[in-house]
């Protein structure tokens, strides 16, 4: 069989799965796009009609939109900062020969397998509770008044919860990259008189740059759709203090029953997510070429 014929056969065999995948993505996206141009309210299903760009205009001029956009950027930026820096430090720790290394690695990885809803409930009731939470007991033990995290610092609280979930992922990727570093480079630098900090900043950190870029890309795509942690802990409050774009779309669609406005918000969120993804992909491409 010729090369051209084998490629045609491979395309034919893989085409059903590709078509199914395209339909799986295109049909919901197409329906969302169609609803975004309709006046469709769940309380008045028979009074719909074409509205043009009105849904987009009302969503973009909603006073909560810019607050939600700012909160989304704060959440993504805060989680990335914690997970990348913390992942590098944990990777350095786990790369050392320590007692119970296997158990420590399992404990570090464990949060990644906890469902977002469960982890949010654990943090809300066991840590952040201003009466019975662990942090409240610690504050009382040292003579400080208890601090209501979810009411007084909602975005910080949600950022900590989400960062706790994603820290194991960043640690695994960075640890794998760190273990691929040639030990002879470090030994040669040590023999030349380079200290621990010099070896870290001039050898290890540049070697981890590509892995860190991959971590940033993957986490950003998923962090833009953070929802369960907000729903379980703060419900977007107090007010709009912890409302993100994803949660704002949920409020518009299922709490205010405005499917058209929610669909327009979903399309806007998808466009913004794609802009971020394209920017990060270009950044990764430049990093890989370097």
């Amino acid at each position: 069989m010729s090369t051209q014929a084998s490629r045609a056969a491979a395309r034919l065999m893989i085409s059903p799965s590709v078509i199914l995948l395209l339909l799986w993505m295109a049909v919901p996206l197409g329906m969302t796009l169609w609803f975004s141009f309709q006046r469709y309210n769940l309380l008045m299903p028979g009074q719909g009609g074409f509205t043009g760009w009105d849904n987009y205009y009302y969503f973009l001029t909603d006073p909560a939109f810019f607050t939600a956009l700012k909160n989304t950027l704060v959440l993504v930026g805060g989680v990335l900062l914690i997970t990348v820096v913390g992942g590098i430090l944990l990777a350095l720790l786990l790369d050392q020969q320590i007692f119970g290394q296997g158990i420590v690695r399992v404990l570090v990885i464990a949060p990644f397998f906890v469902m977002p809803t469960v982890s949010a409930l654990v943090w809300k009731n066991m840590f952040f509770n201003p009466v019975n939470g662990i942090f409240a007991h610690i504050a009382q033990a040292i003579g400080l008044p208890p601090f209501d995290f979810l009411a007084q610092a909602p975005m910080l609280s949600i950022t900590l919860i989400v960062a706790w979930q994603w820290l194991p992922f960043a640690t695994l990727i960075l640890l794998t990259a760190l273990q691929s570093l040639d030990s002879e480079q470090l030994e040669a630098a040590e023999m030349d008189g380079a200290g621990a900090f010099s070896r870290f900043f001039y050898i290890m950190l540049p070697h981890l740059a590509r892995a860190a870029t991959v971590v940033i890309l993957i986490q950003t795509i998923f962090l833009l759709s953070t929802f369960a942690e907000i729903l379980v802990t703060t419900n977007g409050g107090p007010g709009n203090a912890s409302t993100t774009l994803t949660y704002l779309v949920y409020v518009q669609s299922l709490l205010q029953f405005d499917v058209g406005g929610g669909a327009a918000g979903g399309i806007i969120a998808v466009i913004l997510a794609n802009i971020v993804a394209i920017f990060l992909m270009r950044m990764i491409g430049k990093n890989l070429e370097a």
Side-chain angles (χ1 to χ4, degrees):
M1 182 181 293
S2 65
T3 304
Q4 187 174 2
S6 62
R7 289 179 179 175
R11 293 192 189 99
L12 182 62
M13 286 187 289
I14 201 174
S15 58
S17 59
V18 173
I19 293 173
L20 180 61
L21 181 62
L22 289 176
L23 290 176
W24 187 269
M25 295 185 298
V27 172
L29 182 60
M31 292 184 65
T32 304
L33 189 62
W34 185 81
F35 276 119
S36 69
F37 291 103
Q38 303 294 317
R39 182 185 294 107
Y40 187 81
N41 193 295
L42 293 176
L43 299 180
M44 298 177 292
Q47 300 182 17
F50 181 77
T51 61
W53 297 97
D54 288 351
N55 288 329
Y56 291 90
Y57 173 77
Y58 290 131
F59 189 86
L60 291 173
T61 56
D62 188 336
F65 172 73
F66 288 103
T67 301
L69 181 61
K70 182 197 71 173
N71 289 338
T72 302
L73 296 177
V74 168
L75 176 63
V76 173
V79 173
L80 289 178
L81 179 63
I82 295 173
T83 54
V84 172
V85 175
I88 292 175
L89 296 177
L90 282 176
L92 291 172
L93 176 64
L94 296 177
D95 192 46
Q96 307 298 319
Q97 294 296 328
I98 59 176
F99 177 75
Q101 188 178 47
I103 298 177
V104 173
R105 290 186 177 181
V106 171
L107 292 176
V108 170
I109 297 170
F112 192 64
F113 299 101
V114 180
M115 295 184 64
T117 306
V118 176
S119 63
L121 285 172
V122 170
W123 277 84
K124 177 181 179 180
N125 297 307
M126 293 185 61
F127 291 95
F128 292 150
N129 190 294
V131 178
N132 300 316
I134 293 176
F135 293 152
H137 287 296
I138 294 175
Q140 291 175 0
I142 59 178
L144 296 176
F147 185 78
D148 192 349
F149 283 88
L150 295 175
Q152 297 176 261
M155 282 308 302
L156 174 62
S157 304
I158 294 171
T159 300
L160 291 176
I161 295 172
V162 179
W164 178 79
Q165 296 171 352
W166 281 98
L167 185 58
F169 172 79
T171 302
L172 285 176
I173 300 296
L174 294 167
L175 177 61
T176 303
L178 186 61
Q179 291 180 337
S180 67
L181 177 62
D182 190 358
S183 59
E184 294 181 357
Q185 297 183 29
L186 298 174
E187 294 173 358
E190 187 176 3
M191 292 178 62
D192 289 338
F197 287 100
S198 297
R199 295 196 301 272
F200 172 74
F201 284 107
Y202 294 104
I203 298 178
M204 293 182 182
L205 204 56
H207 183 76
L208 293 174
R210 294 185 177 182
T213 308
V214 173
V215 169
I216 291 172
L217 172 63
I218 296 176
Q219 287 192 174
T220 300
I221 295 174
F222 284 94
L223 291 174
L224 289 171
S225 60
T226 301
F227 173 75
E229 295 86 349
I230 301 174
L231 179 66
V232 172
T233 55
T234 64
N235 276 317
N240 295 322
S242 59
T243 298
T244 60
L245 279 178
T246 305
Y247 195 83
L248 185 61
V249 171
Y250 160 76
V251 170
Q252 193 85 13
S253 302
L254 298 180
L255 297 186
Q256 299 179 2
F257 307 105
D258 185 4
V259 176
I267 295 297
I268 293 172
V270 169
I271 292 174
L272 294 176
N274 277 276
I275 292 174
V276 173
I278 292 172
F279 171 77
L280 291 175
M281 287 297 293
R282 290 188 175 181
M283 185 176 68
I284 284 183
K286 291 180 180 180
N287 194 9
L288 294 177
E289 291 173 0

